[in-house]
Amino acid sequence: MLKTPQKPTSLAVLTSGGDAAGMNPAVRAVVRSGLDAGLAVYTVSEGFQGLVDGGDRIKKVSSSDVGGILHQGGTVLGTARCDEFRTREGRLRAAANLAKLGVDALVVIGGDGSLTGANIFKEEWRELLQDLVAAGEIDKAVADKHRRLTLVGLVGSIDNDMFGTDMTIGADSALHRIAEALDAIHSTASSHQRAFVIEVMGRNCGYLALQSAVAAGANWVLIPESPPTEDDWQESMFSALKAGREIGRRLNIVIVAEGAQDKYGNPITAQEVAEALRERLGEDTRVTSLGHVQRGGAPSAFDRYLSTVLGYAAVEQVVTSPGGEAQLVGIKEHQIISSPLMECVAETRAVADRIAEQDYETAMAMRGGSFRESFQMLKTMVRAKPHAPDPEQRRLRLGILHAGGPAAGMNMAVRVAVRVGIDNGHTMLGITNGFRGLERGNIREMDWMSVNGWASRGGAELGTSRHLPRDDQFGQIAEQLEEHQIDGLLMIGGWAGYRGAYQLNAQAERFPRLGLPIVCLPATINNDVPGTELSIGADTALNNIVKDVDKIKQSAVASGRCFVVEVMGRDCGYLALMSGLATGAERVYLPEEGITLRDLEADVSDLRDGFMFGKRLGLVITSEHADPVYTSGFMKSLFERESEGLFNVRQSILGHIQQGGDPSPFDRIQATRLADKSLRYLIEQALSDDPISAFIGLEHGKIRFTPLADFTELIEDGLQRPREQSWMALLPLARVMAKPGVPAL
Ligand code: ADP
């Protein structure tokens, strides 16, 4: 009987296949978590080629060796296609190189090709070692000690085409690149009334095409999984675009995935699409192929976070199940999971096979619910005008307002809600400047085209305010609701919006009109409202912070500088913790934990030690309300006073930069999903005899509704944050990534 494999003592990590932004943070996380778990950690350069070559391509590393790579795109380890690794001889050399170093655990970051290759290596490992013993290359004792190879795969691929994870490392950054390009094209295209055809990557997977079309408000999309159902696919596209022009749309954008095809499996190229548009629409049509732009650039905040948690989990997997079946560690429904690697590869390939067999229905079904929903959603959004209302159906009047601070993505949510409402035969009313606008009757009907071009716009076109109705103003609000015959309200906003909505309903006994159904949709950069693990705007704010902190770090050309960066969040430390993870801060201060004098003393001593031993840069992130006395200004003075000349300190309060900017793709996509669902729920409630008000949210990535009446029970007394905050579970990981005394960045 085989003995249970021993816990590995060493671990190697490599990147392979096509590069993807986020590979570096993943390597950094694997290295630091491995060291934290007491393992010797090696990095392998040039993918499998480095394993085959050995020598200085397999390098034992310390924590500081992976400093300064978090923000870099691509992979500092390098990646190469390696034909030798496809041969047994090549893999024999790789096994020899690892066994001689006593390494029997491997984390591979790559696509399905790389993970398949790695799995073959794992399966052969035992025999390979036996061959090496027979050839006298390694001792039998070594082979016996390392009988099994522990293999964990992380998916680095911009296409988001892999089973076993909802998001692959690099996909979100690629969406950022595409959205940036599309936003740029938007402005030039609408100046000229041109049509643009944009080709994006994705040979077997339409993820990038579909989500970027949703995010950019594109007018047509062609993806491999769901080809046009008509023989003459050009005609349906043409009539949709023509209808758009007729109602005054100045711009047509068509997105084509690399692997787009017609229903017979013939490829549809961007050039063909452009020719069809020129011919039938008679329009000046340009083609832009985004190509490698999509792979490049710095990893987005989400990719940095994702790679960090996945790298950490990969090491946990190595340590807790040594020698077991190869695993793929991914994220599903907002939680880290591991699944048998080869099952994931097989499923991934099965979708490609279904597409090749023109079994599109199964291919689409295998992509899962939210992919299909996005596609359906897009079909509504691209319409030039709504479906004709059903004359039998009751026509509701639904109001939309914001309240709270501005959050990127608010406009997208309004755009979607307005169109979904009108498409379902209802009248949509925009209320300007929050509850104040409602009091004053600043209410106007919104038509289909009134939200044209809102998808990519930051800020809040309807205006938002933190004003909460005073006791004597509820009557006025009830009058306005009566006058405008409003049947339901969608509040897209943050804390003030939730409070205001709750108070309105709570006054229903005094003013029955205020008992109308209200749906609250979380849109606040602080991510501090109950009933959801994520709110719209937080991702954009994080990306803003990350970009600025990257710049701040670059400004420290002279060594010996520590930055104290203050971020927003009021009573909630979400932005501080997440930006700390994504920027490599060595210390993060949160209002949930507070700050003690002892903490600051320890920081001073860690900073002094670090700088004494060659650290060049320090970074501390603090949340604006982490402590009323120990503020960022206080920290700056304290650290500088106690620096003993080893470093100087700069304070940086990022301020309103965090609330501005165009919404990130993720915020646009979530805004679309949540607004669609919220409005449908509101319609249902407004039509019911016993309507319920609720807030929509995400729990484990799934949409759920919580009764608005529960608001006060779900929040901390006297504080602006929910009692339960799932992201707090990330605290231990943040500590491992930035151990005191270690140059963290
Ligand atoms: P990706 O990982 O992005 O899918 P590739 O398919 O090009 O990229 O694979 C990257 C590398 O993984 C290849 O160059 C090769 O070294 C290794 N590899 C891929 N498939 C196999 C296989 N079946 N057997 C052994 N090695 C493989």
Side-chain angles (χ1 to χ4, degrees):
M1 209 181 80
L2 284 175
K3 281 189 280 175
T4 326
Q6 281 184 330
K7 196 174 139 184
T9 50
S10 310
L11 159 82
V13 54
L14 62 85
T15 53
S16 171
D19 66 313
M23 282 180 159
N24 287 328
V27 169
R28 171 180 177 271
V30 171
V31 169
R32 293 202 171 157
S33 312
L35 293 169
D36 187 64
L39 306 176
V41 184
Y42 294 81
T43 53
V44 183
S45 54
E46 309 305 329
F48 292 124
Q49 191 65 52
L51 271 193
V52 174
D53 295 347
D56 57 10
R57 290 203 155 167
I58 308 181
K59 214 171 76 183
K60 192 167 179 185
V61 287
S62 68
S63 184
S64 55
D65 288 322
V66 288
I69 65 169
L70 182 61
H71 63 284
Q72 293 182 31
T75 159
V76 291
L77 294 185
T79 160
R81 309 267 175 216
C82 171
D83 288 333
E84 270 175 286
F85 198 72
R86 292 180 188 272
T87 67
R88 193 171 190 280
E89 185 48 36
R91 295 192 292 272
L92 190 67
R93 301 270 39 89
N97 289 327
L98 287 182
K100 282 176 191 165
L101 293 169
V103 177
D104 57 9
L106 189 60
V107 177
V108 173
I109 307 162
D112 64 337
S114 308
L115 300 179
T116 306
N119 192 60
I120 294 173
F121 184 50
K122 174 194 161 59
E123 302 276 298
E124 287 176 348
W125 175 259
R126 202 139 177 255
E127 283 173 22
L128 293 173
L129 292 203
Q130 280 163 2
D131 287 5
L132 291 169
V133 173
E137 282 204 48
I138 58 168
D139 290 341
K140 184 163 181 308
V142 172
D144 284 346
K145 188 165 174 217
H146 304 290
R147 276 195 319 265
R148 293 206 196 164
L149 180 73
T150 306
L151 172 65
V152 178
L154 299 182
V155 194
S157 152
I158 69 164
D159 290 349
N160 203 27
D161 56 352
M162 191 84 186
F163 271 74
T165 189
D166 287 345
M167 283 299 273
T168 57
I169 293 169
D172 184 61
S173 302
L175 274 180
H176 272 258
R177 297 298 96 77
I178 300 172
E180 283 153 18
L182 287 175
D183 289 351
I185 282 172
H186 235 272
S187 40
T188 163
S190 41
S191 317
H192 294 282
Q193 286 229 18
R194 272 186 188 142
F196 271 81
V197 180
I198 318 289
E199 187 194 85
V200 304
M201 285 186 171
R203 239 170 270 148
N204 291 313
C205 182
Y207 177 85
L208 289 179
L210 177 57
Q211 300 299 14
S212 59
V214 169
N219 310 100
W220 202 251
V221 68
L222 291 155
I223 57 171
E225 295 90 341
S226 184
T229 46
E230 309 80 10
D231 273 346
D232 187 0
W233 58 264
Q234 292 93 335
E235 188 54 33
S236 48
M237 173 178 72
F238 159 70
S239 28
L241 298 190
K242 185 161 162 273
R245 278 284 192 250
E246 279 165 3
I247 53 154
R249 200 158 67 196
R250 291 186 57 79
L251 158 76
N252 276 324
I253 289 187
V254 178
I255 298 187
V256 185
E258 236 177 344
Q261 51 188 40
D262 67 16
K263 68 177 191 180
Y264 302 109
N266 305 306
I268 299 179
T269 65
Q271 290 299 346
E272 275 176 86
V273 174
E275 267 154 39
L277 292 181
R278 268 183 220 122
E279 218 171 84
R280 302 198 189 190
L281 213 53
E283 254 181 31
D284 183 9
T285 307
R286 305 293 166 100
V287 176
T288 304
S289 177
L290 295 183
H292 281 77
V293 164
Q294 297 162 84
R295 274 196 198 287
S300 65
F302 178 79
D303 267 327
R304 298 183 195 197
Y305 152 77
L306 179 71
S307 322
T308 303
V309 292
L310 292 181
Y312 180 80
V315 171
E316 216 168 55
Q317 180 69 34
V318 165
V319 174
T320 52
S321 331
E325 188 179 1
Q327 296 290 309
L328 184 145
V329 172
I331 184 166
K332 267 236 153 117
E333 293 167 2
H334 219 63
Q335 282 180 318
I336 302 302
I337 56 150
S338 86
S339 347
L341 189 144
M342 283 323 286
E343 282 176 22
C344 300
V345 170
E347 286 266 314
T348 304
R349 297 202 167 151
V351 184
D353 293 344
R354 293 295 89 78
I355 294 172
E357 291 159 8
Q358 292 156 37
D359 177 3
Y360 302 117
E361 215 166 291
T362 315
M364 205 62 181
M366 289 176 83
R367 283 276 178 253
S370 61
F371 192 90
R372 255 178 317 174
E373 270 174 26
S374 288
F375 197 56
Q376 282 311 324
M377 193 59 236
L378 191 75
K379 285 185 181 164
T380 305
M381 289 299 118
V382 301
R383 294 181 66 85
K385 45 181 187 263
H387 288 97
D390 173 358
E392 304 288 296
Q393 179 203 298
R394 191 175 146 211
R395 207 178 158 98
L396 298 168
R397 292 172 61 81
L398 304 171
I400 304 183
L401 80 164
H402 300 303
M410 281 177 155
N411 290 327
M412 178 61 125
V414 175
R415 169 181 180 265
V416 171
V418 165
R419 291 204 171 161
V420 169
I422 298 177
D423 201 45
N424 281 281
H426 304 293
T427 301
M428 300 305 294
L429 304 163
I431 300 161
T432 35
N433 300 327
F435 292 110
R436 182 161 279 146
L438 185 55
E439 267 157 45
R440 295 179 181 168
N442 299 334
I443 300 168
R444 63 184 150 97
E445 186 171 338
M446 299 186 80
D447 66 20
W448 193 262
M449 286 303 280
S450 65
V451 289
N452 194 36
W454 284 27
S456 57
R457 235 176 266 175
E461 294 288 316
L462 284 181
T464 180
S465 117
R466 290 204 175 84
H467 167 82
L468 281 173
R470 284 194 322 262
D471 215 38
D472 58 346
Q473 289 167 331
F474 289 108
Q476 227 169 309
I477 291 181
E479 276 169 31
Q480 290 297 343
L481 292 173
E482 176 65 28
E483 189 182 326
H484 292 270
Q485 287 295 299
I486 296 179
D487 299 300
L489 282 177
L490 174 63
M491 193 299 298
I492 301 166
W495 194 264
Y498 277 57
R499 259 220 172 284
Y502 176 81
Q503 287 173 356
L504 238 58
N505 270 182
Q507 296 287 330
E509 273 185 27
R510 275 170 74 197
F511 306 102
R513 257 276 162 200
L514 300 182
L516 84 174
I518 309 176
V519 174
C520 297
L521 188 159
T524 160
I525 69 163
N526 295 344
N527 198 27
D528 59 358
V529 289
T532 188
E533 53 207 4
L534 210 59
S535 63
I536 289 162
D539 184 60
T540 306
L542 273 177
N543 277 292
N544 289 340
I545 296 172
V546 163
K547 274 189 207 141
D548 279 342
V549 173
D550 281 354
K551 284 184 207 146
I552 287 172
K553 288 195 319 201
Q554 280 165 355
S555 77
V557 278
S559 59
R561 182 161 290 180
C562 173
F563 291 97
V564 178
V565 175
E566 181 183 309
V567 299
M568 285 182 168
R570 295 195 170 228
D571 299 329
C572 170
Y574 177 80
L575 283 180
L577 181 73
M578 296 299 282
S579 62
L581 270 179
T583 56
E586 56 216 274
R587 192 74 163 94
V588 176
Y589 281 119
L590 314 175
E592 286 81 357
E593 297 187 310
I595 308 178
T596 65
L597 188 57
R598 216 169 313 132
D599 291 332
L600 296 175
E601 272 168 359
D603 283 352
V604 168
S605 134
D606 289 339
L607 284 169
R608 272 200 307 247
D609 287 354
F611 281 104
M612 190 132 40
F613 292 106
K615 176 194 188 81
R616 297 180 51 226
L617 190 65
L619 176 63
V620 174
I621 293 191
T622 178
S623 188
E624 58 186 356
H625 287 182
D627 191 276
V629 177
Y630 302 142
T631 60
S632 57
F634 179 92
M635 282 184 216
K636 176 204 179 307
S637 311
L638 177 81
F639 292 170
E640 198 145 66
R641 182 79 174 79
E642 300 293 327
S643 68
E644 294 177 359
L646 287 164
F647 57 96
N648 54 47
V649 188
R650 293 287 181 273
Q651 173 197 17
S652 185
I653 300 176
L654 296 186
H656 287 82
I657 285 170
Q658 295 161 82
Q659 290 179 339
D662 294 339
S664 68
F666 187 78
D667 276 333
R668 297 185 204 183
I669 294 165
Q670 291 303 340
T672 303
R673 252 182 105 196
L674 295 182
D676 174 45
K677 287 280 191 303
S678 297
L679 205 83
R680 290 178 197 280
Y681 184 89
L682 183 62
I683 293 171
E684 217 179 281
Q685 297 306 320
L687 291 173
S688 106
D689 295 333
D690 200 7
I692 297 173
S693 292
F695 30 89
I696 192 172
L698 294 166
E699 187 183 44
H700 301 323
K702 287 218 161 71
I703 287 177
R704 68 156 188 193
F705 288 91
T706 311
L708 181 58
D710 294 351
F711 177 71
T712 46
E713 277 163 41
L714 295 172
I715 57 174
E716 292 254 20
D717 278 347
L719 290 173
Q720 195 166 311
R721 67 169 176 252
R723 283 182 202 276
E724 264 183 52
Q725 303 192 102
S726 56
W727 56 267
M728 285 287 282
L730 292 168
L731 272 177
L733 177 148
R735 303 236 156 86
V736 170
M737 287 305 119
K739 283 221 137 166
V742 171
L745 307 172

